[in-house]
Amino acid sequence: MTPAIDVINVSKVYRRYAQKKQFATLKSAILSGSLLGDLRPEDAFQALKGVSFSVPKGCTYGVIGSNGSGKSTLLKCVAGITRPTEGDVKVDGRISALIELGAGFHPEISGRENIFINGIMLGLTKKEIQRRFDEMVDFAEMQEFIDAPVKTYSSGMYMRLGFAVAVHVDPEVLLVDEVLAVGDQSFTHKCLDKFAEFRRRNKSILLVTHSLDLVEKFCDTAHWLKKGVTQGEGDPKRMVAAYVIDVEDTEEHALAKAEAARVAAAAKTVAAAPDAAAESDPPSGSLDPESGAGPEAAATQGPKDGFKSDEGRWGTREVEITNVTITGPGGDAGHVFQSGDAIHVRMDVHARARVTDFVFGLGLFNADNVCVYGTNTSLEQFRPTEIEGAGVVTFTIDRLDLVEGTYRLDLAAHKVDGYPYDYHRLLYTFRVKSKIRDVGIYRPDHAWSFGGGIKISDQK
Amino acid sequence: MFSNLAALCRYRGLIQTLVVRDLKARYRGSVLGFFWSFFNPLMLLGIYTFVFTKVLVGAHPGEMEPYALFMLTGILPWTWFASSVLESSNTLIAGGNLIKKVLFPAEVLPIVTVLANMVHFFLGLVILIAFLIYYQRPIEGLQLLWFPAIVLVQLIFTTGLALFLSAMTVHFRDLKDLLGNLVQFWFFATPVIYPMATVPMDMRWLLNANPMTHLMISYQEVLFFEGPHGHWQWLMALGVASIGVLLFGYFVFDRLRDSFAEEV
């Protein structure tokens, strides 16, 4: 059986023209004396590089990838809107593309007339439209307004009508580009039902989306694109997982880079004025119990100066925190973790001379700068004896029970009375990812149970 | 190119629908509605009639009486031509959404523009017929058979030009500004408000080189002047040339087609 869509080694190069020639005009072309020169590209951008896949009939095929990975270009090539620079696309049967809904609606004329025009543009005959007209209007929930000019429609109505026409074209192949966000919940469900019906009737769907859930639930196969290159193709769950890991990697790089820059900047300010930082009344650490500015005190008294101050680093460096790494369950240093992971925060410390009065502390803040948790060795009843030379402090969280978001860490070494040796304020960042979209600051370990007349099923 | 040209036949229904949409949309929301199609040529007619019969009295020979009727035979087809050319140059850019987001045969857009303006022309003919009856101009039935032929030649010529210009304007946006001036120049270089007979002999070659001249003379001979349509050889030659223009226009359009989705 021939596949519904066959994409063979497709590449697409977009030509980019030099900035000054962006608005090419005949006048400028004649003045610069090069009619043809202006039409010659200065630069090329490769949106797709040798992408191949085929979609069997009746298959729902998902394409995932970050912004700019070439998904939409791919869809346009399949739809025939643009032609691939190299390679070939074969489509068997009528295509309907849900790329831009309601493209071609004329604002001045009524919804009814627009349905006919749009239907004909999508390849229906007048009779076919007549037959499906009521179905389309019902689907779009537009009975009341169908004779009003389209310019009076809300954007939701506009999209719904466009969607209704496009899915009732009865295509063999349906191309969908991120258009499910058009209606309220009930309309989205209707759309999904419509897709399910397509599948039952052995039609093919090519779906481009950022909604990974949808790909996992609906697609038979997923295709992962990155910068125009195929990264993988196969089982949706596996592809989505691979894609998510890659995204985390990218975020990881970004976080690591930003953090390195922050730490370097902080180190510079300390190097410039170490004495000033030590002698002026230092912003007392929030992790210092005896000054009354510990985490519990902060919660009742409101933040002190140190609490409000931005990221930075101060202290005398008698005990210096030389390096900080956060490691995940695999033991690799990282910045992106799953909720529930075990993580270790490791501080390499160094004391130039023997120090007997020292406390190590840690504060965890969420993106709103709310202290999620703070503690130190003094609060937890460790009595310092001495430190000299290099040492290692590891703070282990067995389960990172946090909701999804970005968190920042304070790390500090100071005297019991709060006198800072080396205070790292909000210098370290990590991101927590979660499949569950719960909210709040803290996720207690929890379970649901149901009894009596409740029937409920676990979608996990 | 020719397979694309053949595919055009499949879009008949689409073209028809879009022409109707164009006409409906143009007049919806305006008070006079569809009477604007009459209003514009009548307005022009009024102006020129005033100028040439009250201000510049004697500027035209007696054979052009009644002058209003003479003008109308020329202005109606000219308006069709001029509006088509001006509007079609912008049509791909205005329809950018269709070209970028929907699998849509782009050539339909300029063709629809030409056809919609042709419908206006036909509506304007109603006024012309009213004038013909009012002045009791004798029309020889046999001469009238030429009329569809003239319209057809003009349609082919205008469509070819519209395809060419719409494709070029995508790349050279100022073409449509240039065209405004060019069309005005072209209007006075065509015997619309004056007959060919008043043109000095040594300038005739210039007017003969203008395709619109022959269309206008043909309209005038068929609808205004008595006597046979003596210009038919020119018309036939122009018909052949128009097919050349259409093929050339379509060739250029087809060559540039792939760039539309990216450049619009």
Side-chain angles (χ1 to χ4, degrees):
Chain A
M1 194 167 70
T2 54
I5 305 172
D6 210 358
V7 173
I8 306 149
N9 198 23
V10 162
S11 296
K12 176 75 189 175
V13 177
Y14 282 112
R15 293 164 303 166
R16 279 199 293 214
Y17 298 92
Q19 197 65 39
K20 63 178 160 63
K21 291 174 182 168
Q22 197 98 68
F23 301 101
T25 62
L26 193 59
K27 191 185 76 185
S28 70
I30 290 169
L31 286 181
S32 65
S34 61
L35 254 171
L36 290 172
D38 267 15
L39 290 174
R40 209 165 291 143
E42 294 279 316
D43 194 6
F45 171 73
Q46 188 144 24
L48 289 173
K49 285 175 211 154
V51 174
S52 298
F53 64 90
S54 74
V55 181
K57 290 206 170 95
C59 175
T60 304
Y61 197 90
V63 180
I64 54 176
S66 325
N67 287 332
S69 59
K71 301 186 299 293
S72 294
T73 303
L74 181 65
L75 207 64
K76 279 185 182 177
C77 286
V78 174
I81 294 168
T82 50
R83 215 167 283 181
T85 316
E86 274 169 46
D88 204 7
V89 177
K90 286 180 193 141
V91 180
D92 189 31
R94 173 148 66 189
I95 306 183
S96 183
L98 298 181
I99 293 181
E100 177 143 320
L101 296 171
F105 278 176
H106 197 294
E108 291 287 343
I109 61 183
S110 72
R112 180 185 300 275
E113 286 162 299
N114 268 311
I115 287 184
F116 276 91
I117 292 164
N118 213 237
I120 285 170
M121 277 182 196
L122 296 174
L124 289 178
T125 62
K126 258 194 178 132
K127 271 196 193 123
E128 285 174 309
I129 299 171
Q130 229 132 33
R131 212 155 5 95
R132 295 171 199 173
F133 185 80
D134 290 333
E135 212 182 317
M136 291 184 199
V137 177
D138 280 346
F139 189 89
E141 302 162 19
M142 297 281 301
Q143 293 86 341
E144 284 170 69
F145 310 107
I146 197 65
D147 285 311
V150 165
K151 67 177 173 188
T152 63
Y153 287 12
S154 73
S155 55
M157 288 156 83
Y158 195 89
M159 295 294 206
R160 289 206 307 269
L161 196 64
F163 190 93
V165 177
V167 292
H168 285 86
V169 165
D170 196 23
E172 301 297 317
V173 177
L174 186 67
L175 308 179
V176 184
D177 188 359
E178 202 72 80
V179 288
L180 284 171
V182 299
D184 53 15
Q185 286 287 313
S186 83
F187 189 74
T188 307
H189 283 145
K190 251 161 82 174
C191 297
L192 293 177
D193 287 348
K194 198 79 197 170
F195 289 164
E197 185 197 317
F198 270 127
R199 285 161 58 112
R200 276 200 303 280
R201 285 162 50 205
N202 205 31
K203 316 265 174 173
S204 317
I205 302 175
L206 182 63
L207 179 72
V208 165
T209 182
H210 287 290
S211 166
L212 301 175
D213 283 354
L214 201 68
V215 172
E216 283 189 4
K217 266 185 211 148
F218 259 94
C219 295
D220 303 308
T221 313
H223 190 114
W224 168 27
L225 279 180
K226 185 180 180 183
K227 291 182 180 156
V229 182
T230 302
Q231 298 292 306
E233 186 192 6
D235 176 59
K237 285 218 162 62
R238 208 162 48 80
M239 278 301 110
V240 168
Y243 168 59
V244 168
I245 287 171
D246 184 67
V247 169
E248 283 168 4
D249 254 18
T250 315
E251 284 178 358
E252 170 81 46
H253 281 301
L255 286 176
K257 215 169 139 187
E259 183 172 298
R262 248 193 336 267
V263 172
K268 220 179 271 172
T269 59
V270 171
D275 297 335
E279 280 161 23
S280 68
D281 181 29
S284 68
S286 61
L287 313 174
D288 161 21
E290 282 168 31
S291 70
E296 63 279 61
T300 53
Q301 294 172 3
K304 293 189 69 169
D305 284 344
F307 229 73
K308 270 190 239 159
S309 82
D310 281 339
E311 62 207 33
R313 184 174 177 184
W314 56 80
T316 57
R317 305 273 187 109
E318 282 159 73
V319 179
E320 189 179 351
I321 300 172
T322 51
N323 190 33
V324 175
T325 49
I326 308 172
T327 54
D332 299 327
H335 295 84
V336 180
F337 307 102
Q338 293 294 323
S339 183
D341 278 356
I343 66 160
H344 310 274
V345 180
R346 177 190 152 122
M347 283 185 269
D348 294 313
V349 295
H350 186 265
R352 274 174 286 180
R354 183 165 168 271
V355 175
T356 53
D357 180 2
F358 59 91
V359 174
F360 297 110
L362 173 145
L364 174 65
F365 296 81
N366 71 7
D368 302 327
N369 252 0
V370 173
C371 178
V372 178
Y373 186 65
T375 188
N376 68 27
T377 50
S378 171
L379 285 171
E380 301 202 25
Q381 308 296 331
F382 292 96
R383 289 271 146 253
T385 309
E386 64 161 32
I387 171 172
E388 188 168 6
V392 174
V393 181
T394 305
F395 181 80
T396 301
I397 302 174
D398 285 334
R399 285 182 56 83
L400 193 60
D401 279 327
L402 295 169
V403 300
E404 185 161 290
T406 304
Y407 294 87
R408 297 207 276 179
L409 281 179
D410 273 14
L411 293 172
H414 54 82
K415 279 190 188 171
V416 175
D417 65 5
Y419 176 83
Y421 293 131
D422 195 0
Y423 201 105
H424 294 214
R425 172 75 180 151
L426 297 178
L427 289 184
Y428 306 96
T429 305
F430 64 94
R431 193 161 289 168
V432 175
K433 294 249 168 189
S434 172
K435 284 218 168 75
I436 306 165
R437 307 265 165 230
D438 47 4
V439 296
I441 297 175
Y442 165 59
R443 172 189 283 161
D445 196 17
H446 63 272
W448 293 88
S449 55
F450 307 95
I454 301 169
K455 282 201 179 108
I456 193 164
S457 62
D458 189 351
Q459 295 287 321
K460 275 188 301 221
Chain B
M1 170 178 168
F2 285 100
S3 66
N4 276 333
L5 211 51
L8 209 52
C9 296
R10 281 195 287 122
Y11 301 129
R12 273 193 322 266
L14 178 61
I15 293 175
Q16 192 191 341
T17 317
L18 286 176
V19 169
V20 173
R21 177 188 88 165
D22 216 55
L23 296 172
K24 270 186 185 161
R26 185 173 305 188
Y27 296 125
R28 196 148 298 180
S30 61
V31 182
L32 289 180
F34 133 100
F35 286 97
W36 282 111
S37 342
F38 299 112
F39 189 77
N40 289 336
L42 280 177
M43 186 77 197
L44 264 180
L45 187 68
I47 295 167
Y48 286 119
T49 309
F50 175 76
V51 170
F52 284 101
T53 60
K54 301 289 176 211
V55 183
L56 300 170
V57 188
H60 55 271
E63 58 180 302
M64 281 168 67
E65 291 302 339
Y67 184 68
L69 183 60
F70 173 82
M71 287 249 323
L72 201 58
T73 48
I75 279 192
L76 288 178
W78 176 265
T79 307
W80 169 24
F81 171 76
S83 317
S84 299
V85 166
L86 288 176
E87 286 169 27
S88 65
S89 67
N90 200 30
T91 182
L92 287 183
I93 295 161
N97 229 357
L98 288 176
I99 294 167
K100 271 192 285 193
K101 310 285 185 178
V102 188
L103 180 53
F104 187 86
E107 60 267 51
V108 164
L109 290 172
I111 291 173
V112 164
T113 306
V114 174
L115 289 180
N117 278 299
M118 186 172 79
V119 174
H120 284 295
F121 168 59
F122 288 154
L123 293 173
L125 283 179
V126 175
I127 308 176
L128 185 65
I129 291 168
F131 269 73
L132 286 171
I133 293 169
Y134 176 77
Y135 289 113
Q136 295 176 337
R137 300 295 288 197
I139 294 276
E140 290 165 50
L142 213 57
Q143 293 301 315
L144 220 51
L145 286 178
W146 277 107
F147 184 73
I150 309 171
V151 172
L152 183 68
V153 172
Q154 187 177 347
L155 177 64
I156 294 170
F157 177 69
T158 313
T159 306
L161 209 57
L163 284 169
F164 173 75
L165 290 172
S166 60
M168 291 307 285
T169 311
V170 171
H171 288 278
F172 301 107
R173 296 294 165 100
D174 57 352
L175 203 59
K176 62 174 186 283
D177 305 312
L178 190 70
L179 272 176
N181 298 312
L182 198 69
V183 164
Q184 198 158 19
F185 173 79
W186 202 337
F187 174 73
F188 288 103
T190 307
V192 179
I193 53 171
Y194 55 87
M196 191 65 166
T198 58
V199 178
M201 272 304 176
D202 56 348
M203 291 296 286
R204 291 229 176 147
W205 64 270
L206 195 65
L207 266 74
N208 274 331
N210 170 6
M212 290 309 289
T213 301
H214 307 296
L215 284 169
M216 290 304 139
I217 293 176
S218 295
Y219 281 114
Q220 286 156 2
E221 284 192 352
V222 168
L223 295 172
F224 184 80
F225 295 116
E226 287 172 48
H229 179 213
H231 211 68
W232 65 272
Q233 280 148 321
W234 278 100
L235 184 70
M236 289 296 101
L238 181 62
V240 175
S242 295
I243 292 173
V245 170
L246 179 65
L247 289 178
F248 173 74
Y250 197 81
F251 172 76
V252 171
F253 193 93
D254 211 42
R255 282 294 297 274
L256 294 175
R257 176 193 303 275
D258 290 341
S259 66
F260 294 159
E262 289 156 36
E263 295 290 329
V264 162

